Each structure stands twice: as structure tokens, then as C-alpha cells.
Amino acid sequence: MKKNKEKEKEKCVAVTSPVSGEDSDDKQRPAFPSVRFSSRNASSKYDFVKVKVWLGDNADHYYVLSRFLLSRMLTVTKIPNHVAIKIALELKKLLTDNSLLDVSQSDLEVNLFKLMERRGYGEEYINRYKMMTRFHHQRVPLVILVCGTACVGKSTIATQLAQRLNLPNVLQTDMVYELLRTSTDAPLASTPVWARDFSSSEELITEFCRECRVVRKGLAGDLKKAMKDGKPIIIEGIHLDPSIYLVDDDNKSPSGVHSENKEINPAFMTLDDNATAQIKDSHVGSSDESNGGSRILSSDEGVSADQVDAVSNSMASIGLAESIPEHKVASLRELETDKTTISKEKSGPKPIIVPIVLKMAEFDHKALLEEWISARTFNDKCPDLDNEKLIANLKTIQDYLCSFTSQGLTVVNVSATTFPQTLDWLHGYLLQCIEQGIEENVTPVAPA
């Protein structure tokens, strides 16, 4: 009896005792590979040691080194998550074993970069780390817009990019739409715009653009906070009209940042030096006034006639109309009197705006849409339209969104078979957009 109690006691101690060392976690939980756990769960005895990292020339401020946050920062540079966790642990172990419990930021980075190089992640990854450090220190506002119709993977892509880039804020326009519809007197219908019957495609796009502007007003508070505090944000959903966001600084017209069609299939291309040069030439999403970049419309500026013309041109390019009706023009100009939209702080960094439209091969997309439409929860909202009409409406909206490639919008083809490659491409593409935005925020030194 006594022996049985002792065995049970030993078993309890084995389960509840803290894990120590790098490999002990794998030994105790073989059914759950360490790669599936974040560094927060893969605990170590070194996590109980506090390392102070001092900042500034006079070392008058410090922060406590977090292995979890460091590993997240490393994954932003495209280092795999399980490797980032190991590098962060190795750094904490190195500092602790050498009694370096008070270390400067520069000394920390010297040791970190040596560990990165030892594992084969050299200059390219180190430069990305330094670039992202500058990005956070400068508090450059970053807004990533993930546009597209239903069933193209907007939510999945946005969530995965937020995880890869360590961005905490993801907003969904569907939620904003429902909140505005149910909690305010906003002119929004319970039935989605693509589930209604319109006499023409032009009428459908007109109503779609109107609803996008209403949702844009609902996003104003979050966008203003992002601009003021320099916090990055990802916005995803169908109610994102590129004509509202692709506006340059000088004449309030949609930016002609890149006249070349920028529809991309990530499965067949990589971000090499040529791609980098294209991004730098296009100034995607930056707000450089002298280079025709893009930024978010501010409340004091309203909407110019050039913007109305740009929407008209986009509609004409997909065979909808040659001009916008009068009520469309009037609706567009409602933004002129909207004082709830954000205004860019003149003294702050110029925001980086990266609009992306996701699309899918027509056959695959149609199959997904048919399955989605057949769901009972959706059919309850649109009993009057058949599936073909719903799919036709969604395709009309998709064509409209893709028509802004001439204004610098990037269209990315999504496929289930190449989804990992698409994520990798978008990850690298956004890093290069951030790098370009940081370079444009550097104040040029006046000649003596």
C-alpha cells in the first residue's frame, strides 16, 4: 500500500514539475511536437531569469527580454516558427550562462545575429530584422487592405498575414456593416448587395460603392487611431472600394502609381531584385506627395471630380457604363462633408497603404460559391434570386475590384493547391512595401 502511494506521488511530481532545458519539453509530451507550440508554452528554466536590455545612449531606459516576443519578431523576417523559438532560447541561455543580465540593445543584437548566422539565416534575414526594428521605432502607420468577393480566402489570408507579421489588429468589414446596420441609422439593408435584384450591372456597382463608403465612415475611428498612434492594422472584407483609398496627395485623384497590370500568380514567381524594383517604382501604398503615392482620404479634402472620373473609368473598363449617374456623383460627394473620417497628422510619419485584391480561377470560385450559397443561413436572406444570378452579381463586383490594377492595385490569384506559396509571396511583398515606406519617411538632409 505504501509503495503504491509513493509511485503515485512520483507520477504526480513528474507531471507537474517545471520543464527545464531545451529538449525536456519534447520528452514529456511526445504526442505534441514542439513545432506546434508557441514559445510561451515551451517553457524553460531560463524563462525564470530576468534579463534587462538597456536602451538609449545613456542607457536610461530598459525592457525585460521576452523570449516569446523575440521569437515572434524573428518569424516576421521569414524564419520558420520552430527555428525562431530555438534561436530565442539559445540567446536567453547564452546571456544567462554568461551572467549578462544587464545588456545593451546593440550587444543583444550582436549576439542574436551571430546565432542567426550559425543557423544559416544570414545577411538577408538580419537586414529584415533591422528594417522591422526601424519600422516599429518610427511608428509608421501601416494599413493593409485585403479586398475580394465571397469565398476567395480573405479572412484566412488576413489572419495568416497578421500572425506572420506579428500584427495584432484585424478588422472585418462584415462586422462593421452589421454593427452600423443594427446599431445606427445608417442606410444599409439586411440583405447583402449581391443578393438583391438590380436592373443593370451599373446599378449594382453604384449601390456597392455607396455601401462601401458607409462602411468606410464606420472604420474612421480605427483608422484615425492607427494614423495617430502608428499602429498597423489589417482590414479585410468585401466592402472595400479601392477608389476610396487610392487617392494621391496633390490632386486627390486615384494614384497612377503603376500603369502596368499587376495581376500576380504567386505560384510562378518569387520576389527577386526585379520585383523589388517594381515595388519601388510603383510606390505601392505610400503617401509620398512628390511621387504620386497613395493614402487614405481625409475629412477636410472630400472627393474630387478626378476621383469620380476614376470610378467611372473603372466601371467603363469592365463594360458597365461610360459615366456615373447624377445620384452616384452626389453620393460620392457626401464624403466632402463627412467630418468623422481620418486626417493625416502633418508632423507624423507618412502612412503605408497596401491594397490587395484576391481572386480565384472562375471554375474553382463558382464551385465554392455554389456550396456557400446553398447554406441555409444564406438562403434565408435571399430567397428571391437563383444561384446563377447571385454568382453573376458577385462576379460583377469582382471585375470592378480587379479593374483598379492601373491605379497600382495588386491582384493576387488564390488557389487551394498553391496557398502556402501565396502566403509566402504576400509575406515577402508586404515586407518590401514596408521597407519602401520606411525609406520614404526618411527626411532628406538639406545640402550645406
PDB file of all heavy atoms in Angstrom, residues 81-94:
ATOM      1  N   ASN A  81       8.857  29.265 -37.601  1.00  0.00           N
ATOM      2  CA  ASN A  81       8.498  29.471 -36.207  1.00  0.00           C
ATOM      3  C   ASN A  81       9.305  28.586 -35.253  1.00  0.00           C
ATOM      4  O   ASN A  81       9.808  29.051 -34.224  1.00  0.00           O
ATOM      5  CB  ASN A  81       6.999  29.208 -36.014  1.00  0.00           C
ATOM      6  CG  ASN A  81       6.539  29.500 -34.600  1.00  0.00           C
ATOM      7  OD1 ASN A  81       6.709  30.605 -34.112  1.00  0.00           O
ATOM      8  ND2 ASN A  81       5.952  28.505 -33.952  1.00  0.00           N
ATOM      9  N   HIS A  82       9.466  27.305 -35.583  1.00  0.00           N
ATOM     10  CA  HIS A  82      10.176  26.407 -34.675  1.00  0.00           C
ATOM     11  C   HIS A  82      11.653  26.775 -34.562  1.00  0.00           C
ATOM     12  O   HIS A  82      12.269  26.604 -33.509  1.00  0.00           O
ATOM     13  CB  HIS A  82      10.016  24.948 -35.116  1.00  0.00           C
ATOM     14  CG  HIS A  82      10.691  24.618 -36.409  1.00  0.00           C
ATOM     15  ND1 HIS A  82      10.169  24.982 -37.636  1.00  0.00           N
ATOM     16  CD2 HIS A  82      11.857  23.961 -36.682  1.00  0.00           C
ATOM     17  CE1 HIS A  82      10.968  24.564 -38.600  1.00  0.00           C
ATOM     18  NE2 HIS A  82      11.999  23.939 -38.048  1.00  0.00           N
ATOM     19  N   VAL A  83      12.232  27.314 -35.641  1.00  0.00           N
ATOM     20  CA  VAL A  83      13.630  27.762 -35.588  1.00  0.00           C
ATOM     21  C   VAL A  83      13.733  29.052 -34.778  1.00  0.00           C
ATOM     22  O   VAL A  83      14.680  29.233 -33.999  1.00  0.00           O
ATOM     23  CB  VAL A  83      14.192  27.968 -37.012  1.00  0.00           C
ATOM     24  CG1 VAL A  83      15.632  28.467 -36.953  1.00  0.00           C
ATOM     25  CG2 VAL A  83      14.113  26.679 -37.815  1.00  0.00           C
ATOM     26  N   ALA A  84      12.772  29.947 -34.952  1.00  0.00           N
ATOM     27  CA  ALA A  84      12.777  31.204 -34.198  1.00  0.00           C
ATOM     28  C   ALA A  84      12.711  30.937 -32.702  1.00  0.00           C
ATOM     29  O   ALA A  84      13.385  31.613 -31.904  1.00  0.00           O
ATOM     30  CB  ALA A  84      11.597  32.079 -34.642  1.00  0.00           C
ATOM     31  N   ILE A  85      11.911  29.951 -32.294  1.00  0.00           N
ATOM     32  CA  ILE A  85      11.809  29.602 -30.876  1.00  0.00           C
ATOM     33  C   ILE A  85      13.163  29.123 -30.342  1.00  0.00           C
ATOM     34  O   ILE A  85      13.586  29.492 -29.244  1.00  0.00           O
ATOM     35  CB  ILE A  85      10.724  28.517 -30.677  1.00  0.00           C
ATOM     36  CG1 ILE A  85       9.344  29.114 -30.951  1.00  0.00           C
ATOM     37  CG2 ILE A  85      10.786  27.939 -29.266  1.00  0.00           C
ATOM     38  CD1 ILE A  85       8.217  28.095 -30.946  1.00  0.00           C
ATOM     39  N   LYS A  86      13.848  28.313 -31.130  1.00  0.00           N
ATOM     40  CA  LYS A  86      15.148  27.791 -30.697  1.00  0.00           C
ATOM     41  C   LYS A  86      16.199  28.891 -30.610  1.00  0.00           C
ATOM     42  O   LYS A  86      17.004  28.922 -29.674  1.00  0.00           O
ATOM     43  CB  LYS A  86      15.605  26.697 -31.656  1.00  0.00           C
ATOM     44  CG  LYS A  86      14.783  25.415 -31.554  1.00  0.00           C
ATOM     45  CD  LYS A  86      15.279  24.359 -32.530  1.00  0.00           C
ATOM     46  CE  LYS A  86      14.463  23.072 -32.395  1.00  0.00           C
ATOM     47  NZ  LYS A  86      14.901  22.039 -33.357  1.00  0.00           N
ATOM     48  N   ILE A  87      16.195  29.800 -31.586  1.00  0.00           N
ATOM     49  CA  ILE A  87      17.166  30.903 -31.557  1.00  0.00           C
ATOM     50  C   ILE A  87      16.926  31.782 -30.335  1.00  0.00           C
ATOM     51  O   ILE A  87      17.873  32.194 -29.648  1.00  0.00           O
ATOM     52  CB  ILE A  87      17.067  31.732 -32.855  1.00  0.00           C
ATOM     53  CG1 ILE A  87      17.542  30.914 -34.054  1.00  0.00           C
ATOM     54  CG2 ILE A  87      17.899  33.009 -32.736  1.00  0.00           C
ATOM     55  CD1 ILE A  87      17.377  31.615 -35.387  1.00  0.00           C
ATOM     56  N   ALA A  88      15.657  32.081 -30.034  1.00  0.00           N
ATOM     57  CA  ALA A  88      15.341  32.905 -28.875  1.00  0.00           C
ATOM     58  C   ALA A  88      15.786  32.233 -27.577  1.00  0.00           C
ATOM     59  O   ALA A  88      16.317  32.886 -26.665  1.00  0.00           O
ATOM     60  CB  ALA A  88      13.843  33.202 -28.833  1.00  0.00           C
ATOM     61  N   LEU A  89      15.602  30.912 -27.491  1.00  0.00           N
ATOM     62  CA  LEU A  89      16.037  30.188 -26.301  1.00  0.00           C
ATOM     63  C   LEU A  89      17.555  30.162 -26.192  1.00  0.00           C
ATOM     64  O   LEU A  89      18.119  30.335 -25.104  1.00  0.00           O
ATOM     65  CB  LEU A  89      15.486  28.757 -26.329  1.00  0.00           C
ATOM     66  CG  LEU A  89      15.898  27.864 -25.157  1.00  0.00           C
ATOM     67  CD1 LEU A  89      15.448  28.464 -23.833  1.00  0.00           C
ATOM     68  CD2 LEU A  89      15.342  26.450 -25.327  1.00  0.00           C
ATOM     69  N   GLU A  90      18.225  29.974 -27.321  1.00  0.00           N
ATOM     70  CA  GLU A  90      19.688  29.961 -27.316  1.00  0.00           C
ATOM     71  C   GLU A  90      20.252  31.296 -26.859  1.00  0.00           C
ATOM     72  O   GLU A  90      21.243  31.348 -26.129  1.00  0.00           O
ATOM     73  CB  GLU A  90      20.214  29.625 -28.720  1.00  0.00           C
ATOM     74  CG  GLU A  90      20.005  28.163 -29.120  1.00  0.00           C
ATOM     75  CD  GLU A  90      20.352  27.911 -30.577  1.00  0.00           C
ATOM     76  OE1 GLU A  90      20.699  28.894 -31.284  1.00  0.00           O
ATOM     77  OE2 GLU A  90      20.262  26.752 -31.017  1.00  0.00           O
ATOM     78  N   LEU A  91      19.609  32.398 -27.287  1.00  0.00           N
ATOM     79  CA  LEU A  91      20.078  33.718 -26.870  1.00  0.00           C
ATOM     80  C   LEU A  91      19.888  33.905 -25.362  1.00  0.00           C
ATOM     81  O   LEU A  91      20.798  34.381 -24.672  1.00  0.00           O
ATOM     82  CB  LEU A  91      19.313  34.805 -27.634  1.00  0.00           C
ATOM     83  CG  LEU A  91      19.678  36.245 -27.274  1.00  0.00           C
ATOM     84  CD1 LEU A  91      21.133  36.537 -27.636  1.00  0.00           C
ATOM     85  CD2 LEU A  91      18.756  37.242 -27.967  1.00  0.00           C
ATOM     86  N   LYS A  92      18.719  33.527 -24.856  1.00  0.00           N
ATOM     87  CA  LYS A  92      18.465  33.649 -23.417  1.00  0.00           C
ATOM     88  C   LYS A  92      19.449  32.784 -22.619  1.00  0.00           C
ATOM     89  O   LYS A  92      19.969  33.207 -21.577  1.00  0.00           O
ATOM     90  CB  LYS A  92      17.022  33.226 -23.134  1.00  0.00           C
ATOM     91  CG  LYS A  92      16.539  33.549 -21.724  1.00  0.00           C
ATOM     92  CD  LYS A  92      16.299  35.033 -21.549  1.00  0.00           C
ATOM     93  CE  LYS A  92      15.713  35.365 -20.181  1.00  0.00           C
ATOM     94  NZ  LYS A  92      14.305  34.986 -20.063  1.00  0.00           N
ATOM     95  N   LYS A  93      19.728  31.612 -23.120  1.00  0.00           N
ATOM     96  CA  LYS A  93      20.675  30.701 -22.462  1.00  0.00           C
ATOM     97  C   LYS A  93      22.081  31.279 -22.474  1.00  0.00           C
ATOM     98  O   LYS A  93      22.801  31.236 -21.462  1.00  0.00           O
ATOM     99  CB  LYS A  93      20.650  29.350 -23.169  1.00  0.00           C
ATOM    100  CG  LYS A  93      21.544  28.289 -22.541  1.00  0.00           C
ATOM    101  CD  LYS A  93      21.413  26.966 -23.293  1.00  0.00           C
ATOM    102  CE  LYS A  93      22.331  25.912 -22.669  1.00  0.00           C
ATOM    103  NZ  LYS A  93      22.230  24.618 -23.391  1.00  0.00           N
ATOM    104  N   LEU A  94      22.484  31.843 -23.615  1.00  0.00           N
ATOM    105  CA  LEU A  94      23.820  32.425 -23.735  1.00  0.00           C
ATOM    106  C   LEU A  94      24.014  33.574 -22.755  1.00  0.00           C
ATOM    107  O   LEU A  94      25.038  33.648 -22.052  1.00  0.00           O
ATOM    108  CB  LEU A  94      24.036  32.913 -25.170  1.00  0.00           C
ATOM    109  CG  LEU A  94      25.341  33.655 -25.473  1.00  0.00           C
ATOM    110  CD1 LEU A  94      26.526  32.704 -25.355  1.00  0.00           C
ATOM    111  CD2 LEU A  94      25.304  34.284 -26.862  1.00  0.00           C
TER     112      LEU A  94
END
